[in-house]
């Protein structure tokens, strides 16, 4: 450890205090947003749903004709090392792979690109998040993103604008709309609960990110006998629902209690979303036990 009090980060083979870590100005992530990322939740020092996050990373890389920057074992070691070095019990790990740097700005892929790999931790209170008790507000707006939202690209300017607009309108998250239908949140999947207790979700396609948390929640709902309907839905339909929720590595499963000026349900998190959140933590607890066994 160095004398710096900055958190430790990983950059291309080195563990460094964040204030000493550097990336080239020619890195294509910086110049073109030519890269992909993952955010994995950490609870009790364990990685939650790590394997599907890495599977999605590999898919994103394949879709952009980029190579994995290191072996699977090495990548997992880096995640664990950062949790240890930063003594992080709970939070998220951010991972970014960019196409690297060829010492100039040139649009086509470099001939012999060496990808850049960066990881850092962010302590976040996920399990005791006060927003889980109060619920969150959404603000609706057009979805102005590109046509390959299934790739977890670092080109997030449209989401930055969406979430900034949501914030300016007093909301925690955006609900984005295309062709009259809801796509997803600025950085979360969205779903709602119908009066008959079933859950409605937009089908995965290139219009939304295949959320890992949503997939976990869908499986848990299915196992507990909740019907899942995958179809397009409108903002009006979602606003008339009993319960609405966000799903993401940073919100896990969180109730939505207001969309624009409309209260959802009674303006309080409802029973189905509370149950799903509880089931999610049970699932996480199971993974924590498995990892403790595997790494002891
Ligand atoms: N975002 N949709 C979008 C557009 C997202 O950016 C995210 C996650 C999700 C949820 O995916 P997952 O369940 O795999 O986290 C859906 C991360 C958390 C972020 O950008 O910070």
């Amino acid at each position: 450890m160095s004398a710096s009090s900055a958190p430790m980060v990983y950059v291309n083979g080195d563990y460094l205090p964040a204030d000493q870590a550097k990336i080239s100005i020619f890195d294509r992530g910086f110049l073109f947003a030519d890269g992909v990322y993952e955010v994995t939740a950490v609870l009790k020092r364990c990685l939650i749903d790590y394997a599907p996050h890495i599977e999605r990373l590999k898919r994103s890389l394949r879709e952009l004709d980029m190579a994995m920057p290191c072996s699977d074992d090495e990548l997992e070691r880096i995640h664990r090392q950062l949790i240890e070095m930063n003594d992080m019990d709970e939070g998220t790990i951010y991972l970014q792979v960019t196409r690297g740097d060829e010492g100039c700005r040139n649009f086509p892929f470099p001939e012999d690109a060496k990808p850049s790999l960066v990881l850092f931790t962010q302590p976040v209170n996920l399990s005791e998040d006060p927003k889980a008790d109060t619920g969150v507000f959404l603000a609706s707006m057009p979805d102005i993103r590109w046509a390959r939202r299934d790739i977890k690209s670092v080109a997030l300017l449209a989401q930055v604008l969406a979430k900034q607009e949501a914030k300016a309108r007093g909301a925690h998250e955006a609900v984005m709309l295309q062709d009259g239908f809801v796509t997803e949140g600025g950085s979360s999947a969205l779903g709602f609960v119908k009066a008959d207790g079933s859950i409605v979700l937009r089908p995965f396609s290139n219009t939304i990110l295949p959320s890992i948390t949503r997939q976990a929640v869908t499986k848990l709902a299915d196992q507990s006998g909740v019907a899942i309907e995958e179809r397009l839905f409108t903002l009006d339909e979602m606003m008339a629902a009993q319960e609405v929720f966000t799903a993401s590595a940073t919100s896990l499963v969180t109730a939505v209690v207001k969309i624009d000026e409309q209260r959802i349900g009674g303006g309080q998190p409802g029973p189905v979303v509370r149950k799903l959140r509880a089931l999610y933590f049970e699932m996480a607890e199971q993974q924590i036990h498995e990892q403790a066994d595997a790494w002891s």
Side-chain angles (χ1 to χ4, degrees):
M1 277 273 207
S2 79
S4 169
S5 61
M8 296 297 282
V9 303
Y10 174 93
V11 184
N12 291 328
D14 295 320
Y15 294 93
L16 297 161
D19 55 7
Q20 290 168 31
K22 290 193 173 55
I23 279 280
S24 162
I25 62 158
F26 296 115
D27 188 274
R28 292 175 64 91
F30 178 62
L31 294 177
F32 300 117
D34 187 359
V36 300
Y37 75 107
E38 280 297 330
V39 178
T40 305
V42 174
L43 293 170
K44 295 188 182 171
R45 291 182 174 249
C46 290
L47 297 156
I48 306 305
D49 269 344
Y50 180 74
H53 277 287
I54 299 308
E55 279 315 303
R56 185 174 64 187
L57 170 70
K58 289 179 178 173
R59 179 184 181 276
S60 294
L61 290 169
R62 263 198 317 275
E63 292 297 311
L64 297 178
D65 203 10
M66 287 169 64
M68 266 287 271
C70 63
S71 72
D72 288 10
D73 285 352
E74 179 62 9
L75 197 53
E76 188 165 349
R77 250 196 312 277
I78 299 166
H79 278 82
R80 293 189 185 282
Q81 184 75 24
L82 284 182
I83 294 172
E84 287 309 313
M85 284 178 148
N86 293 314
D87 198 17
M88 189 177 73
D89 284 327
E90 190 164 314
T92 57
I93 299 198
Y94 177 87
L95 169 171
Q96 174 171 309
V97 185
T98 62
R99 205 183 301 273
D101 144 34
E102 64 174 332
C104 62
R105 181 174 181 270
N106 187 23
F107 281 78
F109 300 169
E111 292 291 322
D112 51 0
K114 192 171 173 305
S116 269
L117 175 62
V118 169
L119 285 92
F120 57 82
T121 53
Q122 297 207 124
V124 189
N125 193 348
L126 296 171
S127 58
E128 305 284 324
D129 184 351
K131 292 195 294 301
D133 290 326
T134 56
V136 295
F137 300 172
L138 305 183
S140 68
M141 64 196 72
D143 193 334
I144 61 166
R145 296 175 299 161
W146 73 326
R148 288 304 308 275
R149 302 167 194 155
D150 55 313
I151 299 171
K152 200 163 171 61
S153 152
V154 295
L156 291 173
L157 190 52
Q159 282 103 309
V160 167
L161 295 177
K163 288 180 80 89
Q164 179 58 31
E165 182 180 337
K167 185 179 171 192
R169 287 164 54 190
H172 304 91
E173 174 61 302
V175 42
M176 300 189 288
L177 308 170
Q178 179 179 299
D179 302 329
F181 297 104
V182 171
T183 55
E184 59 188 330
S187 62
S188 58
L190 297 174
F192 69 87
V193 183
K194 287 201 304 186
D196 67 3
S198 59
I199 287 177
V200 180
L201 297 160
R202 183 181 175 104
F204 287 142
S205 70
N206 62 1
T207 61
I208 57 172
L209 185 77
S211 157
I212 303 302
T213 318
R214 168 182 146 173
Q215 291 174 67
V217 170
T218 308
K219 193 167 161 203
L220 294 168
D222 185 51
Q223 284 166 353
S224 64
V226 173
I228 313 284
E229 217 181 301
E230 291 199 348
R231 61 172 170 83
L232 298 184
F233 55 88
T234 64
L235 182 63
D236 282 350
E237 196 181 357
M238 192 166 80
M239 281 169 122
Q242 291 302 302
E243 298 184 50
V244 176
F245 60 91
T246 68
S248 69
T250 46
S251 68
L252 305 181
V253 191
T254 297
V256 173
V257 294
K258 198 166 117 185
I259 304 176
D260 296 337
E261 294 315 311
Q262 167 98 32
R263 280 198 336 166
I264 305 300
Q268 301 279 334
V272 177
V273 176
R274 281 184 184 281
K275 175 84 191 297
L276 289 175
R277 190 171 168 92
L279 288 173
Y280 187 88
F281 277 95
E282 274 176 33
M283 176 209 77
E285 203 60 50
Q286 180 72 32
Q287 293 185 17
I288 290 162
H289 281 300
E290 286 162 13
Q291 282 177 51
D293 289 347
W295 288 82
S296 60

